[in-house]
C-alpha cells in the first residue's frame, strides 16, 4: 500500500499538528502532499489542528499554513 511519511507529526490528546519541511520555492504539489498527510491522519480519528509547510531558504525560514 501507500506509505505516507510527513517530516513531523505531533500528537497531543486527540489533536495533531503536521509539519513538512521543504527547500526551494512553494509548489502546488507540496500543498497536495501535505493535504494527503492531513487526510490520512484525520482518517485515524485524530483532529489535525495545524498543517504547515516550512520552506527553508539560505537566509530565511517561511511557514505556509494550510
Amino acid at each position: 500500500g501507500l506509505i505516507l511519511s510527513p517530516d513531523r507529526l505531533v500528537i497531543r490528546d486527540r489533536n495533531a499538528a503536521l509539519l513538512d519541511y521543504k527547500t526551494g520555492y512553494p509548489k502546488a504539489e507540496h500543498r497536495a502532499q501535505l493535504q494527503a498527510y492531513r487526510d490520512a491522519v484525520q482518517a485515524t480519528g485524530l483532529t489535525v489542528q495545524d498543517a504547515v509547510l516550512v520552506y527553508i531558504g539560505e537566509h530565511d525560514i517561511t511557514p505556509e499554513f494550510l
Side-chain angles (χ1 to χ4, degrees):
L2 180 64
I3 296 175
L4 299 173
S5 55
D7 291 322
R8 178 80 53 199
L9 172 62
V10 179
I11 300 171
R12 186 173 196 177
D13 300 318
R14 300 293 302 158
N15 299 308
L18 286 161
L19 292 106
D20 206 44
Y21 300 96
K22 302 290 185 192
T23 57
Y25 297 99
K27 298 179 183 176
E29 61 203 43
H30 297 162
R31 292 179 67 81
Q33 182 182 39
L34 189 58
Q35 185 61 53
Y37 296 156
R38 173 185 259 180
D39 293 346
V41 170
Q42 290 182 153
T44 69
L46 295 172
T47 299
V48 176
Q49 289 190 317
D50 294 299
V52 186
L53 288 165
V54 180
Y55 288 94
I56 301 182
E58 190 172 328
H59 300 290
D60 61 347
I61 297 172
T62 306
E64 181 180 317
F65 292 83
L66 228 70

